[in-house]
Each structure stands twice: as C-alpha cells, then as structure tokens.
Amino acid sequence: MSRISVDEARELWLRGDDEELQRLAGEVRARYHEPNHATYMVMRIINYTNVCVAQCDYCAFYVLPNQDGGYVLSREDVFAKIDELLEVGGDLVGFNGGFNPRLPLDYYCDLFASVRERYGDRVEFYALTVAEFVFLADRARISYAEAAERLRDAGVYWITGGGSEILTEDFRARHAKWKYTVADYFEAQRAIVEAGLNTTATMVIGFDETLDERLEHLQRTRDFQDEVGGLFSFLCWTYKPYGTAFGGREISPQEYRRWIALSRIFLDNVKHIRTSVLTQNEDAFRALDFGADDFDLPIEDEVTQKAGARIDLDLEGLLAIPRRLGYEVEYRRAERPTAPVASRLTS
Ligand code: SF4
C-alpha cells in the first residue's frame, strides 16, 4: 500500500467501513511492529501550576493570575508525587502546566535539574509541551533555539508535542487565540529537534473541528516528519467537555478508533501510534486492533480529570484487557536521544 493523499484519506473516512480501516491500518502497523505485540508505560502527569493566561475555551483546569485557587508546586510537592509514582512501578513523569507569567525560565531549569539530580536514571520526564515551551521562550525574550539549549543543559531530553489540539489557524482563532500560532508551534518544534531533544506529535479530537481541519493537522504532522524528523510517536486523545466554557459532548469510542486507524494509515512515517487510556479508559485498547501499538497507564492528570477524565489505578486489571484481546504487552522506558543532531536530521 502506498502513501495516501488528503483526498484519499477523506474518502476513506467518509466511505470506508470499520473492517477496511482496520485492515489498512494493520498493514501500516505491520511495517513497524509485530502484529500481537504492544508496549506501554506507567506515568504521572505533574501539573506544576494551574495559573494560566491563555484562556482556552476548552479548558477546565486553569485560573487566571489574580483569581483564587491558583497554585505552583514546590520541589518537595513534585518529589512526593514522583516518589508515589515509583512506588506503583512507574518511571515516566510528564510535566504540564498553565502559562504562568510569574514563573521565569529559571524556575523550569532549576526544577528539571533538581529532578535529574535526585532521581538520575530511575525516572525519565517529559519536561514541557511545545505549547508551554513557546510561552516560556517568548516570555524570557529568547529564541526557541536558546530556550531549547537552556533546557537541555538543565537535563531535559524530551519536550512533547502536547498542547497541539487541532493545528489549524482557524481552530486556534476560535478556541485558543492567545496560545500560539500554528507557525510558531512548528518553528518551536523544529528548534527542539535541532537542539537534539526528543519530541512527539499529538492531536485532540472531538471539539467542533471539521474533517478538513483534522486532515490538515495530519498533513502538517506528516510534512514535519518528512522535512525535519524527530517525531517519536503520535498520540491522539479525545476532548473532555465537562466544566469547560466551550462545553459539547464526547465522541464515541468507535469514532475514536476509526480516527486512530486513519492516523496510522496516513502517518506512514511515524513509528508509534499511541492510544489514550487517559481519555478512553477500557475502550482505548480496542484501538490496538486499529493500528495503535503503544499506550500509557496514567495515575494522575489534573487537566483532563477536571474536565471529566476518570483514572483507574488497577493497573493489572487494565493490562488484562489487551491481553484478553490477544496482545502480549511489554513495559518500555522513555528513550533518550541517541544520535547527534546532524544525523538525526538526515536519517
Ligand atoms: S489548555 Fe493549557 S494553555 Fe489553555 S487555558 Fe488550559 S492550561 Fe492554559
């Protein structure tokens, strides 16, 4: 099967039945992975601050700087959360917080350096999302390249593609006009890759985005991977509407796994397609039959929990589900960058 165009993807979405999507996604998945094998991580998202000036209308998490209820976690708070993660057998932290104008770049560098110093190789962490990275570089009035270097020097290996939602300028203007432009997002991600850091692609579906907007997001992601590279994986999750200004309803599990399949087929240059246990719970595992090969078991994420996500801490019970579906599941650790920047860009 050769690479499909946006028009072919649209046709497949509108006319293809579940079996066809499943079969084609399975073909692309088999280029990278054993058919009945999947990998997973146990992780905790640490929301270090809920203060944010971006005011995205789909967010139930943030408070404005002068509102009650704002917080910034201390190092001790962060260490306590990491210790709990280690106790349940996890070793991956995802730092994710609001655009807090009172936090300088040094806050982030000190925090990440202290985590690296205290935990060494026992814990890996996704330091920030691209969205937060854009904010903190702009606020510090330094280039994206310099910000990436400063973070790398503080022991950071990963800045994920989180906070992307739908990467079209129209979507951003409708829902998150103070967050970043799509051009900024990809310029920042390019600087992250060129600094030798690892990154990922993400997507969130289920707002009011059109099919064309979803396809534009996939096209931009595939183009970035062709031109720049460095996208370790693609994770798609679903919007949780509860408590948000925008509101709305959740999409069905069937629509989710169909979109995972289409993403697997379209993103033929991304090795890992990840399914979201955080937002789909037990239903997430069916997406393994639709092209996904990897997932997290999260033990906390205040951002999505405030909007209605439910976290199940029975990790063995969760792992029994893909096993019943016929998958051998294997724990994996977050990889560190292994190659010099120049060869990463040309490989
Ligand atoms: S989604 Fe992120 S950037 Fe947007 S308001 Fe919420 S915390 Fe702020």
Side-chain angles (χ1 to χ4, degrees):
M1 177 192 171
S2 54
R3 174 170 276 195
I4 65 168
S5 66
V6 165
D7 287 342
E8 287 166 331
R10 185 184 300 106
E11 194 61 20
L12 193 51
W13 180 256
L14 294 173
R15 318 251 176 267
D17 60 21
D18 287 7
E19 287 67 31
E20 186 177 11
L21 279 163
Q22 196 172 354
R23 180 178 59 76
L24 295 173
E27 274 183 35
V28 182
R29 188 189 195 278
R31 288 179 204 160
Y32 295 108
H33 310 285
E34 292 295 316
N36 295 314
H37 186 262
T39 47
Y40 73 100
M41 308 165 103
V42 175
M43 65 106 66
R44 175 172 211 156
I45 296 177
I46 297 184
N47 306 109
Y48 55 89
T49 183
N50 64 344
V51 175
C52 188
V53 292
Q55 301 181 66
C56 309
D57 69 1
Y58 47 76
C59 179
F61 168 67
Y62 74 94
V63 301
L64 291 168
N66 293 321
Q67 279 181 320
D68 290 341
Y71 69 77
V72 177
L73 295 188
S74 67
R75 275 189 205 185
E76 289 64 38
D77 295 330
V78 168
F79 294 161
K81 284 177 180 284
I82 296 175
D83 290 345
E84 282 174 8
L85 173 69
L86 287 166
E87 275 167 31
V88 299
D91 64 0
L92 177 67
V93 172
F95 287 102
N96 179 224
F99 292 7
N100 186 335
R102 295 192 184 124
L103 295 182
L105 182 59
D106 283 348
Y107 164 87
Y108 299 92
C109 293
D110 291 349
L111 176 65
F112 300 142
S114 70
V115 170
R116 188 64 77 200
E117 184 184 7
R118 182 179 167 104
Y119 294 96
D121 286 346
R122 289 189 297 148
V123 164
E124 192 47 77
F125 58 88
Y126 294 162
L128 297 162
T129 62
V130 171
E132 293 157 275
F133 175 84
V134 167
F135 176 76
L136 73 90
D138 288 351
R139 189 185 167 283
R141 300 184 183 201
I142 56 177
S143 67
Y144 297 140
E146 190 179 338
E149 252 174 62
R150 292 277 304 276
L151 290 164
R152 192 188 59 202
D153 291 347
V156 168
Y157 296 125
W158 286 87
I159 295 174
T160 67
S164 68
E165 295 91 27
I166 298 287
L167 287 168
T168 73
E169 300 293 9
D170 274 359
F171 180 89
R172 312 235 59 88
R174 289 203 302 279
H175 297 292
K177 55 177 174 285
W178 291 296
K179 199 164 181 178
Y180 56 74
T181 66
V182 177
D184 289 339
Y185 181 93
F186 282 111
E187 191 188 331
Q189 196 161 40
R190 177 185 283 266
I192 288 163
V193 173
E194 290 179 353
L197 300 175
N198 279 340
T199 192
T200 65
T202 66
M203 179 173 198
V204 188
I205 57 173
F207 308 91
D208 62 349
E209 75 280 1
T210 64
L211 175 57
D212 281 351
E213 284 184 313
R214 284 193 194 179
L215 292 169
E216 183 179 333
H217 184 113
L218 290 186
Q219 178 76 65
R220 286 176 181 275
T221 303
R222 190 168 75 180
D223 288 349
F224 183 89
Q225 186 76 326
D226 280 345
E227 290 164 23
V228 181
L231 299 177
F232 177 83
S233 60
F234 171 84
L235 167 64
C236 178
W237 68 93
T238 52
Y239 168 56
K240 292 285 182 184
Y242 311 102
T244 67
F246 179 62
R249 281 198 294 212
E250 295 194 58
I251 64 169
S252 69
Q254 185 200 19
E255 179 173 351
Y256 176 69
R257 53 182 180 261
R258 282 175 61 84
W259 191 256
I260 289 287
L262 195 73
S263 302
R264 175 63 288 174
I265 297 161
F266 194 87
L267 298 175
D268 58 354
N269 54 359
V270 177
K271 182 175 179 184
H272 294 286
I273 301 293
R274 315 190 71 222
T275 180
S276 170
V277 176
L278 179 62
T279 60
Q280 289 289 302
N281 298 102
E282 298 81 356
D283 290 320
F285 301 108
R286 285 292 313 282
L288 296 173
D289 289 337
F290 285 73
D293 60 275
D294 189 75
F295 57 90
D296 295 321
L297 299 181
I299 67 165
E300 182 186 25
D301 175 32
E302 196 184 331
V303 175
T304 49
Q305 286 177 280
K306 279 226 168 121
R310 172 174 59 83
I311 294 220
D312 184 349
L313 294 175
D314 177 8
L315 304 185
E316 278 308 312
L318 285 169
L319 289 172
I321 302 170
R323 289 181 178 128
R324 278 199 297 275
L325 292 171
Y327 289 88
E328 177 196 15
V329 288
E330 181 188 353
Y331 195 83
R332 76 169 171 89
R333 297 208 65 201
E335 292 177 19
R336 291 193 171 175
T338 50
V341 178
S343 64
R344 282 155 61 81
L345 292 176
T346 53
S347 64

